Every structure is written in structure tokens, then in C-alpha cells.
Amino acid sequence: MRRRIAGWRKALARPLPRNLLVLFLPWSLLIVVLSLLLYDRMLNDRLEPLLEAQTDSLNEGVAVLERHLSSLRGDLQFLSQQPLLNRAVRQDADDSDAALSELFAEFSNSRATYQHIRWLDESGMERVRIDSIAGKAQRVAGADLQNDSAAYYFVETMHLYKGESYLSRFDLERKYRPDGSVESLVPILRAAVPVFSERGERRGILILDYRAERLLERLRETSVAYGGSLQLLDHEGYWMLGERPEHAWGFLLGKPELTLANHQPSSWRRLQNEQRGSFIDSAGFWAYSHFRPSDAASATSNAADHWLLLSHLPARNLSELRWDVVWRVLLFFSVLQGVGLLISVRRAIDEAERLRAEHGLHVSSRALATSNEQLQRTVEQLQRTRRALLQAEKLSSLGTMVAGVAHELNTPIGAASVAASTLERASQEFQTAMREGLKRTTLERFVQRTDDGLSIILISLERMSQLTRAFKQLATDRASTERRRFDLRELVEEVVLLLQPKLRQNDHRILVEVAPNLILDSYPGPLGQIVQNLVDNALVHAFDPGVKGVITVRGQVDEAQGQCVIEVIDDGRGMDEELMGKIFDPFFTTRRGQGGTGLGLHITHQLAVDVLGAELEVDSTPGAGSRFSIRLDLT
């Protein structure tokens, strides 16, 4: 404790620490507190008008919905109470239908918002139908009237009681060009009420097909007036009016993924908690109101009887606002901190200059001598370490080859052993058959089984011979750095063969695209180790868990440069520029604590440059895989 106190006293005796502690530290703490208060105040001042605008946009949108839907319900009630409708219900006559058609046509022309006005009788047959074509109401002739008894809106409306009304989900009516292509999509809302006779018998339904483009256009105008943030969704989260036009009508266009529940699942769950409210989450600011489009007095409900109107300020807007405030506050903080620091440092400069002049030369010379000694020791240690790492990498690679060959030999040895056991059992059965009386079929079966077993044994022995030769050749090459002529494709295939056990663990594939008879005069041992290290590096680092990747080893001759180009290409996650600048550094790894040492690619680079005299380059893009290229001079 005394030593610590003595150390503090000694430090405070120096000009700069004393001035920083006495002057700058209190000043800095004061500026930090002021900056935090300023940030909070500026953020609230900038954010409050935006949030109020979202709430006002929501309120205006609710008012638009209420006005238009109230008008729709009023029109439906008005037509359902007309004496001409009651007359047509009582009298099944053409003049009654004609009079009702004339009333519907006049009403359609006056409103100009209904695509169809129809009366369907209790069987679902259209009795009167008025279509709006090019803004003019036209009566549909009797031969063109349709039976809609199977339509969902007819079935659901026929179950309503007197005084209740039905409002369908949004639908799209397609307008076609003369060539049959779709010209436009008209959003339709169907409002209907059941029609009763004087004795209370159900006599069909009255239905209005409301063109909702005016309603949606008015919501768009309201959204634009408040910054373009208003959205209208149904009970499943499908957009009828969204931030992007292409998001709308997913449930009608066969695009089930176009829902807010799919794009922002956490936000969607919070939007279901309350009837009305607002909150801020990772997606931004949300102001919302659940809206029931049908008559509040109705005792019935249906799938469409639940809309969600919300106003959304994206997180990027909030982030931009916060960053704008942060930069202003940082500017304020930096200026004041700079002033305080300048004052503190300036007061210490004169005294520090005198001390540095007295002790500078002595300290510098002693520090230089010490640094030179440390540097020399470090260089010697690094050289020893480098030689040891190269030898360790060779031994590690050889151990990997031994394990791979042992694993590969197990399969043909096992197959040969099973075949031999089968032949032994067949021989015993044949001897028994000879003692009991040999049949032709028994002899033929024995001969066939013998041929098959010998074939399996011969194939297994040939496989073991190939593996042994490959291992012997690679082991000889790895144990020495002798220069010789060799076939590049055979070398690559031997390396791939030794990596088969690791490939079976993760289902990745290795493709070899090396021309046959590509003869090189170089060092096969280091080159094989380089290819193995690069492929192994791709297997460990290039692919996310569960992904089946493809690694391509390609070899070709660049006649123009007089070089052989060997490439190891993967289709994995790729690397950014910052990561590519470090991968050849010693002890750099992205799997620290998971078995990575950070020496594999460093040693690979050393083997390529120092031993082979080659160029090792890497090219990678995030999400598009990586390409390692080795360029060897042919002469």
C-alpha cells in the first residue's frame, strides 16, 4: 500500500499528470454530464413531433375508414328499406323487377362508387343486377343473370337475422383487355343484408359491391400528408395498403409470405396485445388501432370483421435521427474537451520541455540499446519457432494421412474378410452335399458363389494396393523436399483420397478439375501439403453448419504467363476485405478456443513462397465463396 501511494505521489510530481488531474479531469466530467443532458433534450425535441405526426396520421386514417364505411352501411340500409324492393319481394313480376332495376341504376349513377348492385332471391339466383360500366349504370339482362348460391357472401348473409348486415373480406375484381390480359385490379368490398317478406320469411339478400379504391386512395393521401407511413392490414396481417405497393393483396395473389407477421413477427405479436396503442421496438415506432369495419351494433362477426390500421416510423429513420443528434452532441463534446485539454497540456508543456531536455538523451540511448537486444533475441526466437512449426506441420499432416489411410483400408479389408468367410461356409456346405449326393444345381450355386467371393476379394485387394501405393508416395514426398517430375492430377487425387473420412462427416464434396497428363517439375511433397491445407481450411471455415458445400480443385496451364495455375475454390460464406488482409498472419484464427491455432494458412503461405517460389493469392466476396490461387513457373 505504501508503495502504491509513493507511486501516485511520484506521478503527480510530473507536470502533465498533475495538470490533467487537477484541471482536465473535473472539466471532462462536467462536459460528459452536460453532453448527456443535451443529448436527451435534443433527441426528445426532434423525436416528439415525428411521433405526434404518426399518431395524428393514425387518427385521421380511422376517421377516413369510419366515414366511408358508415356511408356504405347507410346506403345498404337505405336500399333495403325501399318500397320497390318490398314490392318485388311480394310480386314475382317483370314490371316489379324493372322498377327495382331503375331505382338501383339511378342510385348507382348518383353514388358512382358501386361496381354491382344486386338482389339475389332465396335460391341464390340474381333477380336484379346493375353493373357500373365506364361510370354508367347498366341493367344485366335476364339471360346473363347468375346463380350465386355457393358464394361465401350469400351463405353467410342468409344466416343473419333481421337488422344485421354482412361485410366481406376485400376481394379483387380483374378488368381485362380485349386480348385477354389483365388491365387492372379493382379492390371490392361486398356489403349485404338479408331480405325478408312481410311474414318474416327469408327472400334472399341485397348486396352492394363497393369499389374500395376511393377509400384506399384517401388513406394514401392521408399517409402522404403525414410522411407516407400509414398501413391497413386484415386480421391475418396481409396488407391492403402497405409501405410498398407490391406488398398489397398477398392473400388474393397467392403470396402467403406477404404478411406483417412474416416480415416482423415480434412486432406483429405486440400489435395484438391492446386494442389501440403505440410502442418502439427494433423495427421502429408503431402507432396502431384495431378497427371493426362492420356495424358495431351487429351481433355477428366474420373473418373480415377485424382490420388493423397502423402508422409506422421505420427504425432506420429513428436511427438516422439519433445519429444526427449524436454527432451534434459529439461535436459539442469534442470542442469543449479539446479546449480543456489544450489548456491543461499547454500549462504542462514548459515544465515538461525542461525535464525532457535533461533526460532525453540518456533515456533514448539506453532504450535504443535495450530495444536492439530485445529485437535480436526476438528474431532468433522467431526463426527457431518458424523451423519448429514447419516440422510440426509436416508431422501433423503425416499423422492425418496415416489416420485417413487406416480408415480407408478398413472398408476393403472388411469386405475381403466377409467374402472369405462366405467362401469358407460355402465350401463346408459343398463338402456336405458331396457326401449326401451332389446335385447339378448345388454345384452351379457353389461355383457362382466362389466366383463372386473371389471377385470381391480381388477388388478389395486391388483397392488396398492403390491406397498403399498412394500413401507410400505421399509419405515419401512429405518426408523430403526432393524435386522431381510428377503428374499433378495424380497428386491431387491422392490428397482427396486421404480427405475422404473427413468428407463423410459433413457431406461436403470435392471436385477435381485437373487435366490428365499435366506434368510438373517441382516439389510434390510441399505442393501436396499446400493443397491439403487449403482444402482442409475450406472444410473447417468456409461453410455454415448444415450446409452441403462444394470445393473445386482446378489445375490448368497459363500459356501466356508460362505458369501452372492451381486453384482451390469453395462456394461457402466468403470473407470481407478486413479478414482477407489477416488470414496469412501467424496465430490469426476465427476459431480461437475451438481448435484453431492460426498457423495453417501462414505455414501454407511460407511453403508456397519460400519452398516452391510460387505466388499464393486469395479472392473472396462475402456470401460468394473464396478462391485461393497458386501460380508456379513452368521453367
Side-chain angles (χ1 to χ4, degrees):
M1 187 58 142
R2 292 179 179 178
R3 292 180 180 179
R4 186 176 300 176
I5 294 175
W8 279 105
R9 289 178 178 176
K10 185 177 180 180
L12 292 177
R14 299 173 182 174
L16 185 57
R18 183 172 60 253
N19 282 275
L20 290 178
L21 180 63
V22 175
L23 297 177
F24 181 73
L25 183 59
W27 173 264
S28 181
L29 294 176
L30 176 62
I31 298 305
V32 168
V33 174
L34 291 177
S35 298
L36 292 176
L37 295 176
L38 180 62
Y39 171 81
D40 186 69
R41 180 59 182 271
M42 290 182 65
L43 183 61
N44 288 335
D45 291 344
R46 298 286 297 277
L47 194 59
E48 186 174 354
L50 291 178
L51 302 187
E52 289 179 355
Q54 305 308 308
T55 304
D56 293 341
S57 171
L58 182 68
N59 294 335
E60 181 67 20
V62 171
V64 169
L65 291 176
E66 290 177 347
R67 286 197 301 270
H68 283 260
L69 294 178
S70 177
S71 175
L72 174 60
R73 289 192 293 267
D75 291 345
L76 189 64
Q77 184 179 8
F78 170 79
L79 291 178
S80 67
Q81 296 175 355
Q82 290 301 306
L84 288 178
L85 178 60
N86 296 330
R87 174 186 169 188
V89 170
R90 293 195 308 271
Q91 302 175 5
D92 189 7
D94 292 339
D95 58 341
S96 299
D97 292 348
L100 184 60
S101 297
E102 183 176 352
L103 171 64
F104 286 178
E106 292 177 356
F107 186 83
S108 177
N109 287 330
S110 66
R111 288 299 191 188
T113 57
Y114 297 108
Q115 189 73 6
H116 311 287
I117 301 178
R118 296 179 289 167
W119 169 41
L120 283 66
D121 62 18
E122 60 272 19
S123 67
M125 187 67 192
E126 293 179 342
R127 290 283 300 277
V128 176
R129 174 175 173 175
I130 300 298
D131 290 350
S132 178
I133 301 176
K136 185 173 181 60
Q138 296 184 12
R139 180 184 179 184
V140 178
D144 296 328
L145 295 177
Q146 302 175 354
N147 190 305
D148 286 344
S149 59
Y152 64 92
Y153 49 81
F154 176 80
V155 174
E156 295 192 30
T157 307
M158 284 295 290
H159 287 85
L160 300 180
Y161 295 102
K162 192 170 185 179
E164 296 180 340
S165 61
Y166 170 79
L167 184 68
S168 75
R169 191 175 189 176
F170 271 94
D171 201 353
L172 291 178
E173 185 167 301
R174 293 165 173 79
K175 291 185 177 180
Y176 297 93
R177 298 187 179 92
D179 61 356
S181 61
V182 177
E183 179 179 3
S184 62
L185 300 174
V186 180
I188 297 294
L189 271 176
R190 293 185 175 91
V193 293
V195 176
F196 296 87
S197 66
E198 293 179 350
R199 292 181 298 179
E201 300 172 338
R202 299 179 185 272
R203 297 304 303 275
I205 69 171
L206 175 65
I207 182 169
L208 303 180
D209 289 1
Y210 173 72
R211 291 196 299 267
E213 65 262 22
R214 288 189 178 182
L215 168 62
L216 297 177
E217 184 59 31
R218 186 68 186 89
L219 287 177
R220 290 191 192 95
E221 294 173 358
T222 302
S223 178
V224 171
Y226 288 94
S229 60
L230 205 58
Q231 304 176 45
L232 180 63
L233 300 90
D234 67 1
H235 65 290
E236 292 179 324
Y238 286 102
W239 281 284
M240 297 171 287
L241 177 66
E243 290 180 316
R244 299 181 180 178
E246 62 269 18
H247 285 175
W249 314 116
F251 63 98
L252 296 173
L253 300 178
K255 298 178 179 180
E257 72 278 3
L258 295 182
T259 65
L260 182 61
N262 185 50
H263 285 119
Q264 300 290 346
S266 60
S267 301
W268 173 254
R269 288 191 294 269
R270 292 191 63 178
L271 289 169
Q272 310 306 310
N273 293 339
E274 300 291 342
Q275 187 69 19
R276 183 182 179 92
S278 62
F279 60 87
I280 295 179
D281 63 4
S282 60
F285 173 79
W286 304 84
Y288 65 95
S289 176
H290 290 268
F291 184 85
R292 184 178 179 182
S294 63
D295 188 358
S298 175
T300 62
S301 63
N302 53 71
D305 203 17
H306 182 191
W307 293 351
L308 177 63
L309 186 67
L310 60 86
S311 181
H312 178 216
L313 185 64
R316 63 178 180 274
N317 293 15
L318 295 177
S319 179
E320 291 172 358
L321 180 63
R322 290 192 180 100
W323 275 111
D324 183 66
V325 174
V326 165
W327 284 116
R328 295 173 184 270
V329 173
L330 283 177
L331 180 60
F332 167 81
F333 174 83
S334 300
V335 170
L336 293 185
Q337 287 287 69
V339 171
L341 183 61
L342 182 62
I343 294 174
S344 301
V345 171
R346 187 60 187 174
R347 291 191 59 178
I349 286 178
D350 295 335
E351 187 177 355
E353 285 288 344
R354 179 177 56 83
L355 295 175
R356 282 196 298 269
E358 293 177 353
H359 300 283
L361 183 59
H362 177 69
V363 172
S364 297
S365 60
R366 188 172 60 181
L368 181 59
T370 303
S371 298
N372 287 336
E373 294 176 358
Q374 292 177 349
L375 181 59
Q376 184 63 32
R377 289 196 298 270
T378 301
V379 170
E380 293 174 356
Q381 181 64 32
L382 286 176
Q383 292 294 338
R384 291 193 297 270
T385 303
R386 178 177 173 274
R387 290 192 294 269
L389 288 176
L390 286 173
Q391 186 63 26
E393 182 67 17
K394 290 181 180 180
L395 294 176
S396 175
S397 179
L398 187 60
T400 302
M401 287 193 297
V402 172
V405 170
H407 184 87
E408 289 295 322
L409 285 175
N410 283 337
T411 300
I413 290 174
S417 176
V418 172
S421 299
T422 303
L423 289 177
E424 181 182 8
R425 189 165 52 253
S427 176
Q428 295 173 357
E429 293 174 358
F430 181 75
Q431 293 174 6
T432 301
M434 289 183 62
R435 290 193 298 269
E436 295 176 354
L438 183 63
K439 298 180 180 180
R440 181 181 180 85
T441 57
T442 303
L443 178 60
E444 291 175 348
R445 186 167 60 253
F446 174 75
V447 172
Q448 181 64 37
R449 293 174 67 180
T450 302
D451 289 343
D452 293 341
L454 290 175
S455 177
I456 293 173
I457 292 174
L458 289 175
I459 291 173
S460 298
L461 290 175
E462 177 63 24
R463 177 62 174 167
M464 286 187 285
S465 176
Q466 292 176 356
L467 290 172
T468 303
R469 286 196 301 271
F471 173 70
K472 181 179 180 181
Q473 183 62 55
L474 279 178
T476 302
D477 289 337
R478 297 291 175 85
S480 67
T481 57
E482 180 183 354
R483 185 185 185 105
R484 66 178 178 85
R485 292 175 60 84
F486 60 93
D487 189 315
L488 178 61
R489 183 179 180 88
E490 292 181 359
L491 177 67
V492 173
E493 289 178 343
E494 290 169 354
V495 171
V496 173
L497 181 64
L498 297 180
L499 291 171
Q500 290 301 318
K502 180 171 291 188
L503 290 174
R504 296 193 186 98
Q505 299 175 5
N506 44 39
D507 294 331
H508 298 316
R509 292 189 299 125
I510 299 180
L511 302 180
V512 178
E513 297 180 359
V514 181
N517 300 322
L518 180 53
I519 306 301
L520 295 181
D521 185 357
S522 185
Y523 300 92
L527 182 57
Q529 185 171 349
I530 290 172
V531 174
Q532 180 179 342
N533 286 356
L534 293 177
V535 174
D536 190 65
N537 181 74
L539 292 174
V540 174
H541 299 282
F543 305 106
D544 293 321
V547 175
K548 296 182 179 180
V550 177
I551 301 173
T552 303
V553 181
R554 182 177 299 157
Q556 56 190 352
V557 175
D558 186 350
E559 299 289 352
Q561 301 292 332
Q563 294 177 324
C564 175
V565 182
I566 305 171
E567 297 176 325
V568 178
I569 307 167
D570 66 74
D571 59 353
R573 70 185 71 171
M575 300 177 287
D576 55 27
E577 292 184 0
E578 181 181 359
L579 183 57
M580 281 195 296
K582 300 177 180 178
I583 57 173
F584 294 125
D585 293 346
F587 304 106
F588 174 78
T589 179
T590 59
R591 297 175 64 86
R592 185 74 63 191
Q594 304 177 23
T597 63
L599 293 174
L601 287 181
H602 173 68
I603 293 177
T604 300
H605 186 272
Q606 294 293 320
L607 289 173
V609 176
D610 295 344
V611 178
L612 299 182
E615 299 176 6
L616 178 58
E617 300 175 346
V618 60
D619 182 25
S620 181
T621 301
S626 303
R627 178 193 303 266
F628 288 85
S629 302
I630 308 165
R631 287 186 168 269
L632 287 166
D633 291 334
L634 293 176
T635 58

